[in-house]
Amino acid sequence: MVRRLELLGGAMLRRSWMVVAAFVPVTLLCAWIAAQTLGVNTDTSAMVSEDLPHRVAQREYAAAFPEDGSEIILLVEGGTRDLRELGAERLVEALRARPGLFERVESAASDPFFSRHGLLYLETERLRKLAEGLQDAAPALGALRRDPSVRGMAPLLMAALTAPADRRPEGLEELVREAGQAVRAAREGHVRRVAWRELLMGQGGGERVIVQAAPVFDYEALYPAGPALDAIDEIRAGLDLGDERGVRVRVTGEAALATDEL
């Protein structure tokens, strides 16, 4: 009985090595196929069928408007209009210096076309009032151009404040308040620009400036737009547009939202 069990055990041991020898190449083949074919795709839009009606419409829209895709939207808010546009211009320059992370960066605030022809988009009545205001302010603007400092502005303010009530320029109170805040900030060691554009043109133009950045996506990574968003955080921190200037930059857009989803 013992002898028979020994023979049976030896036979099973020999067969087990045969099974192992047979499965080793099969396992290696499966591992090679997995390495060549399996991967990670973090494109959330690829989770649903391409044949669904909204996916078909999405492809047609993308073909008609290829530049209007998944973008990162930067909202430059707060401060004066001039500071918002300055912040947007500096953002555009810094982002365009990272071509490996961004395919396209643009903003209407830094577009030469709108800088030259922006007045054409004003309503007729508002353009008329602007022209009249600039005509009335021409002597003061000429004096400020010659001496754009507190020393050059002080005589103009004194002349306006001591003029008869019916001859005082419109918006004088706002100008005095803006000038006072700029002087107070300078005494405290801060920089605050006078909101000349708002004083001359009113509050039009919106309370934010939009910058559109199209990131380079890597759908084999866990966060396809992660490097671009990290670069935006780094650039925002280095632009010196914080609370002292009253300007902040917020991040939104389809690419940023998709990263939060993941």
Side-chain angles (χ1 to χ4, degrees), residues 18-262:
M18 293 175 59
V19 172
V20 171
F23 269 91
V24 166
V26 174
T27 303
L28 293 177
L29 177 62
C30 292
W32 181 82
I33 294 175
Q36 296 296 319
T37 59
L38 298 182
V40 177
N41 182 5
T42 52
D43 183 2
T44 55
S45 63
M47 298 174 64
V48 296
S49 173
E50 293 281 345
D51 299 328
L52 292 176
H54 78 277
R55 293 284 287 149
V56 175
Q58 186 180 28
R59 289 199 302 273
E60 293 175 352
Y61 179 84
F65 302 96
E67 294 186 356
D68 189 12
S70 300
E71 297 179 332
I72 299 173
I73 307 298
L74 305 176
L75 305 178
V76 185
E77 302 175 329
T80 65
R81 179 74 184 184
D82 291 332
L83 279 177
R84 292 193 294 271
E85 293 191 355
L86 175 63
E89 291 177 3
R90 293 171 65 182
L91 267 176
V92 170
E93 291 178 0
L95 295 176
R96 285 178 177 172
R98 308 282 187 96
L101 297 177
F102 299 95
E103 294 181 353
R104 184 182 71 260
V105 181
E106 56 190 15
S107 173
S110 59
D111 192 314
F113 176 85
F114 289 105
S115 298
R116 292 193 301 268
H117 308 295
L119 294 179
L120 297 176
Y121 292 87
L122 293 180
E123 296 180 357
T124 304
E125 181 62 21
R126 188 176 169 213
L127 183 61
R128 182 185 64 80
K129 291 182 178 181
L130 174 62
E132 293 176 354
L134 289 175
Q135 183 177 1
D136 295 337
L141 293 176
L144 283 176
R145 183 180 181 183
R146 291 189 294 272
D147 187 3
S149 65
V150 176
R151 181 180 60 249
M153 188 172 63
L156 301 176
L157 288 176
M158 288 300 299
L161 290 170
T162 57
D166 58 343
R167 298 184 59 185
R168 292 177 183 174
E170 184 179 354
L172 179 61
E173 293 182 1
E174 290 81 359
L175 175 58
V176 172
R177 182 170 57 252
E178 283 287 328
Q181 291 177 351
V183 172
R184 189 178 303 109
R187 292 182 60 184
E188 296 174 355
H190 305 311
V191 177
R192 189 185 191 282
R193 297 190 179 189
V194 176
W196 295 109
R197 182 171 303 194
E198 280 83 351
L199 293 173
L200 292 174
M201 301 181 63
Q203 296 294 330
E207 298 181 354
R208 62 176 58 94
V209 178
I210 298 176
V211 176
Q212 297 171 283
V216 176
F217 292 101
D218 180 9
Y219 289 115
E220 294 184 357
L222 180 58
Y223 299 106
L229 290 169
D230 291 341
I232 289 175
D233 290 338
E234 176 187 341
I235 291 170
R236 282 195 302 172
L239 282 183
D240 189 24
L241 294 173
D243 295 335
E244 291 185 0
R245 295 175 178 263
V247 178
R248 64 173 181 172
V249 180
R250 296 198 296 163
V251 181
T252 184
E254 186 173 345
L257 295 176
T259 300
D260 285 344
E261 288 179 0
L262 290 173

